[in-house]
Amino acid sequence: MQPANDVTVLGDFSGVSFTYFGRTSSFYKENEKFLVQTEGRDGAPHEYEIAYTFGVSPLQQYLIEFPGGRLQALGIAWDSRPPEQGGQRWFHLYPDQNIAHGNPLHWTRPGQTWNYQCAYCHSTNLQKNYDLESNTYTTTWSEIDVSCEACHGPGSVHVEWARRGAPDDETEEGNNGLLAQLRDPTGGMWVFDEEATTARRTTSRPTRQQIETCAPCHSRREEITRHHLPGDPLLNGFRPALLDERLYHPDGQILDEVYVYGSFIQSTMYAHGVTCSDCHDPHSLRVYDSSNVLCARCHVPTTYDTPDHHFHQRESSGSRCVECHMPATDYMIVDPRRDHSLRVPRPDLSAALGTPNACTQCHTERSAEWAARNVARWHGADRRSEPHFGETIERGRRRVPTAEAALASLARDSTKAGIVRASALALLGGYANNMAFQAIADLATDADPLVRMSSARASETMEPSERYGVAYPMLNDSTLAVRTEAARAVASVPPTVMPGRQRNAIDSALAGYIWSQLANADRPEAHMNIGTLLFARGGFDDAEAAFRNAIRLDSVFVPAYVNLADLRRQQGRDAEGDALLRTALKIAPDNATVHHALALYLVRAQQPSDALDALRRAAELSPDNARFAYVYGIALNSAGRPNEALTVLEQASARQPYDVDLLTALVMLNRDQGNIAAAIPYANRLVEILPDDQQARTLLEALRAVQR
């Protein structure tokens, strides 16, 4: 980040224009000011002055000052790569989406506000200084860019140590006065044992302080306190994302931009003690070598850097270690980021799960099956026959009933990466039965805080008394991220469930959860989370205030309208809820959740025809949402249109074959139509999914009796 001037601005401001979905922006310079005329928040073109540049290579963004102390990141960026690489041009960061002024992704909206979205990781000692009442920032920094103290913490003691001649043992801590000591204090080194082909460390690392100092800016995470310092454990300041379906492929490969940490901690290298500075110079920001020489520091090149290992010609792109073990994905259109899970390519998994693999990312005209055959030819058919956690995660995402035991086993497997185990536990929470609940309870005391954090969140699927038994002890956990998740779980437990002497714990837990959310008080999602929890506890007035805050911060934040409408329903003020939902539809006419919520209101308002139209629209807009299809199918049947209902339910069940509600509806509708032969296969599947459910077995037996 730098002030905009003739030296720092890389983009072409010579009067050039750029057109995006019919809207033209112009870039020019007047009186030493860099200016852009582009679409503003009201949809009309306005002139804006560039205040700061943001980034250098491979792209540069531009920050514009707005009222209230905001800096907004323009959605049109400059491609700073050389022309032969396609650079030296203006481009939009969402080239295939029409991001107009009412869209949450528009450059003028809160989602593109530098103070929240970018600032923490690009300046040193960033103090956001947001005031909710006035909705303004007075953001400050000690250094405009990333400087020494961003990683090592306040440096005054270190400076004094240096002035005294840098004696190693004069500070109280016996070190050089830095808050965060990022070197290995054991002096461990990577060495090769005799005849070994891979190096090992002479000592194990006593802490992961270095990577956890890097992680706040190199991970997908949520801030949960304003008081995190360099060197503090990551989960004492942030809640890292797990292997969520929108962020990672089921086998853990990167999908959305996740900033390295979440992929690296999956790796075998991380498990064996590799850390950031083993490959990266933390001060120059570069890897020590861009060739295979970097990897040869720990992997003997006569074994690994040969055609016998990589099966490509020497010096070809396919012979580069990173191309196979760290394939790149482009983010922000032109910025390639390498997957740091450092995995062995598994095209056989790609064939089974639809995940990417390094082979076909280069050989784009080939299939995963082709790549898997070649791997088998090179290494033998059983080279990679062992199970991979991706198979379990993928089945868990689809809610395959037989995946439950595998998810529980994966969550308990301490040889697997913590992020993988925590992700399995999160999926297990969706099964809501004794096996799942036992695993959630058992792992509440796991050694890995990421697993404990996931256990606390997964406990929310348990009945209040069981949830309280799991989550209450976690309120005293040593890790903040665990405590805040436990607070959320406990705060929604009715006071009548717990012993009287412990009921004050609920209020304390709720206050702790709200405190963690207010670390992001400038975000509508934070107030939405607060409002949802207060609503569940019956605090309607406080919940409404929270939902109103979310809307005040971002007038196009649709979830707040939907939740406020539901609150109005609970208050017996349904007509006001109807108005809120119709406002939400004007903002987001293709939002399936809003259409579904409006349909339910119309049912209550005894407007069945309009309700059916809204249910149809919701099901069309979100075809993978089994609940929307189920409700629409039942409504069609109730309207005397059973054949259409069966079609909707059959199509939905084909997409979601393990959804119990869809299967039950198909059994009942076919039975009521007298089509027993069609009902029995669905009843059979119900019994397969719910083997201990006596009602499902009784239903199947009754159908078979009729058929006989």
Side-chain angles (χ1 to χ4, degrees):
M1 181 174 174
Q2 302 175 89
N5 57 46
D6 287 335
V7 174
T8 61
V9 172
L10 303 179
D12 184 355
F13 281 80
S14 64
V16 299
S17 296
F18 174 80
T19 300
Y20 167 78
F21 281 92
R23 299 184 292 278
T24 298
S25 300
S26 300
F27 299 85
Y28 48 97
K29 187 178 177 185
E30 289 181 1
N31 300 322
E32 303 305 313
K33 293 181 178 180
F34 293 87
L35 304 169
V36 58
Q37 186 175 71
T38 192
E39 180 187 53
R41 190 164 187 164
D42 59 359
H46 297 278
E47 182 181 80
Y48 301 97
E49 180 182 354
I50 304 299
Y52 297 95
T53 64
F54 205 60
V56 176
S57 177
L59 72 153
Q60 186 173 73
Q61 288 185 268
Y62 298 95
L63 303 180
I64 294 169
E65 290 182 329
F66 266 42
R70 287 168 170 76
L71 290 175
Q72 297 294 131
L74 192 65
I76 303 168
W78 178 253
D79 185 342
S80 55
R81 299 174 301 167
E84 58 269 23
Q85 294 180 16
Q88 301 302 297
R89 64 185 177 106
W90 292 104
F91 70 101
H92 201 282
L93 293 169
Y94 302 98
D96 301 322
Q97 303 176 59
N98 184 5
I99 307 297
H101 65 281
N103 191 298
L105 295 175
H106 193 260
W107 75 274
T108 61
R109 293 287 172 183
Q112 307 296 343
T113 298
W114 165 89
N115 310 66
Y116 164 81
Q117 197 71 22
C118 322
Y120 182 93
C121 294
H122 290 269
S123 298
T124 301
N125 189 29
L126 193 288
Q127 302 297 318
K128 186 164 56 174
N129 295 330
Y130 174 73
D131 180 72
L132 177 60
E133 184 175 351
S134 62
N135 190 21
T136 59
Y137 296 90
T138 52
T139 302
T140 63
W141 57 74
S142 298
E143 302 278 353
I144 195 172
D145 56 8
V146 178
S147 191
C148 307
E149 291 176 308
C151 302
H152 293 288
S156 58
V157 177
H158 175 68
V159 171
E160 184 58 33
W161 165 84
R163 284 175 176 161
R164 292 200 305 267
D168 284 336
D169 57 355
E170 284 196 7
T171 61
E172 183 179 339
E173 299 82 4
N175 57 40
N176 56 14
L178 293 174
L179 181 66
Q181 298 293 327
L182 304 183
R183 288 181 176 175
D184 179 5
T186 68
M189 298 181 295
W190 292 98
V191 299
F192 287 94
D193 292 330
E194 187 176 356
E195 298 185 1
T197 60
T198 301
R200 66 168 179 85
R201 276 186 61 82
T202 54
T203 62
S204 60
R205 293 189 186 276
T207 71
R208 293 289 187 175
Q209 188 177 51
Q210 183 186 117
I211 190 172
E212 297 218 344
T213 297
C214 300
C217 294
H218 291 276
S219 66
R220 191 72 171 255
R221 84 298 188 270
E222 177 188 356
E223 192 174 1
I224 54 176
T225 177
R226 302 188 188 100
H227 308 295
H228 190 264
L229 292 173
D232 287 348
L234 177 67
L235 271 69
N236 275 346
F238 303 90
R239 184 185 297 110
L242 302 180
L243 304 184
D244 298 331
E245 190 167 2
R246 61 191 177 84
L247 302 179
Y248 294 89
H249 294 285
D251 63 351
Q253 291 188 75
I254 58 175
L255 175 59
D256 201 4
E257 172 62 281
V258 289
Y259 308 107
V260 175
Y261 172 79
S263 58
F264 182 57
I265 61 173
Q266 300 174 46
S267 70
T268 302
M269 290 188 178
Y270 172 78
H272 283 83
V274 175
T275 196
C276 310
S277 61
D278 285 321
C279 300
H280 298 264
D281 183 322
H283 301 120
S284 71
L285 309 182
R286 300 182 184 279
V287 292
Y288 294 117
D289 196 292
S290 60
S291 72
N292 287 357
V293 170
L294 177 66
C295 303
R297 288 152 50 110
C298 289
H299 301 277
V300 172
T302 53
T303 298
Y304 294 103
D305 194 7
T306 73
D308 288 338
H309 175 73
H310 53 62
F311 295 92
H312 290 78
Q313 293 182 0
R314 293 185 185 276
E315 306 304 322
S316 68
S317 61
S319 72
R320 296 188 65 214
C321 306
V322 293
E323 295 302 330
C324 287
H325 299 291
M326 301 181 69
T329 301
D330 286 341
Y331 299 103
M332 301 186 81
I333 312 304
V334 299
D335 192 5
R337 306 287 179 91
R338 293 200 176 275
D339 190 314
H340 277 59
S341 54
L342 297 135
R343 62 185 63 240
V344 173
R346 289 287 302 269
D348 59 311
L349 278 181
S350 299
L353 306 180
T355 54
N357 68 85
C359 308
T360 54
Q361 282 186 247
C362 283
H363 299 276
T364 55
E365 77 287 358
R366 299 290 193 171
S367 67
E369 290 79 5
W370 167 85
R373 287 195 299 270
N374 276 282
V375 170
R377 178 167 57 84
W378 295 334
H379 297 286
D382 61 348
R383 170 181 175 257
R384 282 292 166 188
S385 58
E386 77 275 16
H388 189 280
F389 71 78
E391 298 164 304
T392 299
I393 295 292
E394 190 272 340
R395 292 168 65 221
R397 287 178 177 181
R398 291 192 292 120
R399 300 288 299 278
V400 177
T402 53
E404 179 188 8
L407 285 168
S409 177
L410 178 58
R412 296 177 189 274
D413 186 352
S414 60
T415 66
K416 296 293 189 295
I419 192 172
V420 173
R421 299 175 59 214
S423 300
L425 194 57
L427 290 170
L428 199 58
Y431 282 80
N433 58 37
N434 290 337
M435 179 185 289
F437 294 157
Q438 189 62 56
I440 292 168
D442 290 347
L443 293 170
T445 56
D446 192 83
D448 192 315
L450 204 55
V451 175
R452 299 199 304 275
M453 183 190 81
S454 185
S455 171
R457 171 158 285 198
S459 73
E460 293 186 52
T461 62
M462 305 170 81
E463 291 298 318
S465 58
E466 287 78 13
R467 184 194 326 156
Y468 184 75
V470 171
Y472 181 78
M474 301 171 82
L475 294 176
N476 295 315
D477 195 276
S478 59
T479 299
L480 179 60
V482 179
R483 296 198 300 273
T484 56
E485 289 298 320
R488 182 167 109 160
V490 170
S492 58
V493 173
T496 54
V497 167
M498 66 190 67
R501 65 182 182 278
Q502 294 180 353
R503 291 179 186 175
N504 288 339
I506 271 214
D507 294 330
S508 178
L510 180 61
Y513 176 75
I514 291 174
W515 174 83
S516 75
Q517 289 296 312
L518 290 178
N520 299 305
D522 49 341
R523 295 296 299 172
E525 296 89 347
H527 298 281
M528 173 79 171
N529 292 338
I530 293 169
T532 300
L533 190 56
L534 293 171
F535 184 14
R537 287 174 53 79
F540 289 177
D541 290 344
D542 289 339
E544 178 176 352
F547 294 145
R548 293 287 185 192
N549 271 334
I551 293 170
R552 178 168 67 93
L553 297 185
D554 189 355
S555 61
V556 300
F557 187 65
V558 166
Y561 291 92
V562 175
N563 278 265
L564 187 53
D566 194 40
L567 187 150
R568 287 286 180 259
R569 175 185 65 82
Q570 291 270 35
Q571 293 176 315
R573 298 158 63 182
D574 234 355
E576 294 176 43
D578 173 40
L580 287 163
L581 292 172
R582 294 187 187 279
T583 298
L585 275 184
K586 289 179 182 177
I587 296 168
D590 292 333
N591 188 300
T593 299
V594 180
H595 283 282
H596 187 76
L598 180 61
L600 298 181
Y601 162 75
L602 292 169
V603 169
R604 296 191 297 272
Q606 299 184 350
Q607 300 177 43
S609 179
D610 291 343
L612 203 57
D613 287 342
L615 288 172
R616 173 187 55 77
R617 187 70 179 132
E620 290 174 348
L621 288 168
S622 186
D624 291 330
N625 189 309
R627 185 64 185 172
F628 291 175
Y630 169 77
V631 174
Y632 179 42
I634 296 301
L636 282 169
N637 188 61
S638 299
R641 297 157 64 178
N643 292 335
E644 293 175 64
L646 283 169
T647 298
V648 167
L649 295 169
E650 287 165 356
Q651 291 173 347
S653 186
R655 290 188 292 267
Q656 305 287 341
Y658 304 106
D659 188 271
V660 170
D661 288 339
L662 291 172
L663 290 172
T664 302
L666 284 164
V667 172
M668 298 304 187
L669 266 65
N670 276 296
R671 183 197 63 183
D672 294 346
Q673 289 287 95
N675 195 347
I676 304 302
I680 286 177
Y682 294 116
N684 270 323
R685 200 184 306 166
L686 267 178
V687 172
E688 291 173 6
I689 293 171
L690 304 170
D692 299 326
D693 191 305
Q694 189 55 48
Q695 285 186 319
R697 290 189 173 279
T698 300
L699 179 60
L700 176 59
E701 291 167 3
L703 290 170
R704 286 174 174 167
V706 171
Q707 190 179 49
R708 287 195 295 270

